[in-house]
C-alpha cells in the first residue's frame, strides 16, 4: 500500500517545513492530551465518535506522510482502520485507587516514549477504564506534532466536546485583552527603535550560540545525557487556583503568564538548591514556546479553527531562550522579583525581531542543507537547554463527551531530548501544570513540592504587597 501511495501524486498536500522537522530521523515530537472523566467511558462509542466527529475535522487525521521523487514529504489520504488507532489497556484487579494510580502512571509514561507507526495516520487514543484518584476513567490522545501545534490540535479535540451545562451552546474561553497603546513623541519613538535594534542583535546572536555552542550547566533539572528522548519518563500534575493566580497578577500589575512563569522559575531554583546547593547559581535556560498566529485571544472553538482569521492549520510556533533567574543574584532578593524578572526578560525578547529572523535562518538552512539538518539544529537547541515551557487556555465551562462529564484535562510534549517539560492549561478556574520529567534523574514529587512552595510563598508576599491604586 505504501508503494502505491508513493506512485500516486494526485491529491497529495505538501507537509509544512515545521512538520518535516518534527518527523525526521533525529526528531519526533508528540503531543499527549489527557481527558479525565467523572464516569466510566462507554468503549462501544469510541469508533463511531471518531468516525463522526474526529476524522472530518482535518484531512491530516486520515493521511500518512510519503516522499515524492524530490524526497519532499507530502500528506497522502488513506483509508483509516479506526481499530488500529484505539487502544484499551488491561490492568490487574486492584482494591485501591493508589494501585491504579501507579498502573496508569506507568502506562502513560510508556506510551509517551513509543514511536507511532509511519504506515498509518499519526495519532491514536487510549481508553483507560480504571478509577484513579483523579478520575473514574481517562482518555489519552497521542498526536504527532507534525499534524499541527497545540493551538490547532486542542481546537480539534475540543470541537468533539460540548458544554455539559448547556449542550446547545458553544464552549467559550477567556479572551485576551490587548494592552492599550500609548502614543509616543519623536524621542520616545527613536528610543524604541534603538532598543528594538539592540535587542534584536543581542537576542539573535545569543540564540545562535545557545542553539549551536553554549550549553546550560548540568544541574538537577538537566542531566546532559545523550539520547534523553529514549529514556524512561514520568508525567505528573499540580493544580493551582486560577483566582489566586489572578489575585497575584492584579497585586503586582503583571500578566497571568508572568505569574506562572515566575513561580515555575522560582520553584525550580528551590528544587535545584535542595538537591545541590551549588546549582542555585548555575546557568539555566528555559525555551518558552509561543504561538505566532496574529491572534489576541479566542472565545470559542470555531475561533480556534477559523483558518482565515487565525492563519492556516499547522505549526505556527516559535521559542524564546529565557535565562532562569538565579537565587540571591544581584537582581533577585525576594520571591516576587522572580515574577518581575521573568516579565522583564520575556517582554524585552518579544519586543525584538528575533522571531522572524530565526524563522528566516531556519528556512535558509532548510534550503541549503535540507530538513534533516534543521531537525538536527532544533534537537541541539532543545538538548542544550534546561527545560521547555508551553501553555494553552482551556474552556471556562464544564465539558462533556457524549454525555460523559469531563472532570479535568492537561497535556504535555514527548519525544524531545530535554529532561524537563512544563505544560500549563486552564479549565474551569483551575490551572493544571503538567511535569514531564526524566525518570530516575528528576524527583518529580520533590519538584512538585518545591513549585507548590514557590506558589504559596509568592501568594503570601503578593498579599502583603501594597495594592495598586487607580488614578
Amino acid at each position: 500500500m505504501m508503494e502505491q501511495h508513493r506512485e500516486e501524486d494526485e491529491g497529495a498536500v505538501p507537509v509544512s517545513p515545521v512538520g518535516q522537522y518534527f518527523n525526521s530521523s533525529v526528531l519526533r515530537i508528540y503531543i499527549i492530551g489527557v481527558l479525565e472523566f467523572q464516569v466510566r467511558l462507554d468503549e462501544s462509542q469510541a469508533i463511531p465518535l471518531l468516525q463522526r466527529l474526529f476524522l472530518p475535522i482535518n484531512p491530516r487525521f486520515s493521511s500518512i506522510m510519503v516522499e515524492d521523487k524530490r524526497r519532499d514529504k507530502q500528506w497522502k489520504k488513506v483509508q483509516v482502520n479506526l481499530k488500529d488507532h484505539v487502544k484499551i489497556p488491561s490492568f490487574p484487579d486492584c482494591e485501591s485507587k493508589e494501585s491504579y494510580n501507579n498502573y496508569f502512571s506507568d502506562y502513560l509514561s510508556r506510551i509517551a516514549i513509543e514511536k507511532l507507526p509511519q504506515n498509518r495516520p499519526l495519532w491514536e487514543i487510549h481508553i483507560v477504564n480504571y478509577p484513579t484518584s483523579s478520575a473514574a476513567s481517562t482518555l489519552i490522545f497521542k498526536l504527532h506534532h507534525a499534524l499541527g501545534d497545540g493551538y490547532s490540535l486542542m481546537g480539534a479535540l475540543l470541537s468533539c466536546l460540548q458544554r455539559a451545562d448547556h449542550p446547545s451552546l458553544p464552549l467559550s474561553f477567556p479572551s485576551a485583552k490587548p494592552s492599550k497603546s500609548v502614543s509616543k513623541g519623536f524621542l520616545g519613538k527613536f528610543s524604541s527603535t534603538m532598543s528594538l535594534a539592540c535587542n534584536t542583535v543581542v537576542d539573535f546572536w545569543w540564540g545562535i550560540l545557545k542553539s549551536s555552542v553554549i550549553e546550560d550547566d548540568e544541574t538537577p533539572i538537566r542531566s546532559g545525557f545523550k539520547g534523553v528522548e529514549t529514556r524512561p519518563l514520568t508525567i505528573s500534575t499540580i493544580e493551582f487556583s486560577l483566582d489566586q493566580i489572578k489575585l497575584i497578577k492584579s497585586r503586582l500589575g503583571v500578566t497571568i503568564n508572568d505569574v506562572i512563569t515566575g513561580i515555575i522559575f522560582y520553584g525550580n531554583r528551590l528544587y535545584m538548591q535542595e538537591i545541590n546547593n551549588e546549582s542555585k547559581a548555575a546557568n539555566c535556560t528555559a525555551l518558552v514556546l509561543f504561538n505566532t498566529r496574529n491572534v489576541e485571544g479566542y472565545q470559542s472553538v470555531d475561533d480556534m479553527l477559523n483558518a482565515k482569521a487565525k492563519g492556516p492549520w499547522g505549526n505556527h510556533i516559535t521559542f524564546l531562550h529565557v535565562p532562569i533567574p538565579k537565587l540571591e543574584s544581584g537582581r533577585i532578593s525576594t520571591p516576587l522579583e522572580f515574577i518581575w524578572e521573568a516579565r522583564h526578560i520575556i517582554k524585552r525578547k518579544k519586543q525584538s525581531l528575533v522571531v522572524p529572523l530565526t524563522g528566516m535562518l531556519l528556512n535558509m538552512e532548510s534550503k541549503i542543507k535540507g530538513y534533516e539538518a534543521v531537525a538536527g539544529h532544533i534537537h541541539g537547541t532543545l538538548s542544550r537547554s534546561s527545560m521547555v515551557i508551553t501553555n494553552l487556555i482551556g474552556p471556562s465551562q464544564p465539558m462533556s463527551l457524549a454525555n460523559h462529564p469531563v472532570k479535568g484535562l492537561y497535556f504535555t510534549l514527548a519525544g524531545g531530548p530535554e529532561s524537563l517539560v512544563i505544560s500549563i492549561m486552564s479549565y474551569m478556574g483551575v490551572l493544571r501544570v503538567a511535569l514531564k520529567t526524566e525518570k530516575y534523574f528528576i524527583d518529580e514529587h520533590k519538584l512538585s513540592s518545591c513549585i507548590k512552595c514557590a506558589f504559596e510563598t509568592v501568594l503570601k508576599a503578593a498579599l502583603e504587597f501594597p495594592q495598586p491604586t487607580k488614578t
Side-chain angles (χ1 to χ4, degrees), residues 248 252 254 258-270 273 324-329 331-343 450-465:
I248 299 172
L252 303 186
V254 296
D258 295 333
V259 174
I260 193 62
T261 304
I263 289 172
I264 287 172
F265 285 171
Y266 182 38
N268 272 272
R269 282 295 185 184
L270 292 178
Q273 178 180 253
I324 300 176
K326 301 175 182 179
L327 281 173
E328 302 174 5
S329 69
R331 295 179 60 132
I332 301 296
S333 59
T334 68
L336 295 183
E337 287 175 7
F338 268 87
I339 294 174
W340 287 316
E341 183 70 0
R343 174 180 175 81
C450 288
I451 294 177
K452 290 177 183 177
C453 178
F455 170 76
E456 293 167 0
T457 304
V458 166
L459 177 61
K460 181 180 178 182
L463 291 174
E464 297 172 353
F465 193 76

Side-chain angles (χ1 to χ4, degrees), residues 65-93:
M65 273 194 193
V66 297
E67 287 186 351
D68 60 18
K69 296 178 180 179
R70 298 184 301 274
R71 306 277 321 230
D72 291 329
K73 293 181 179 180
Q74 298 183 337
W75 292 110
K76 187 68 178 179
K77 286 273 289 183
V78 296
Q79 189 69 32
V80 183
N81 183 359
L82 289 174
K83 292 182 178 179
D84 292 338
H85 296 264
V86 179
K87 313 293 182 182
I88 305 176
S90 178
F91 296 164
D93 291 334

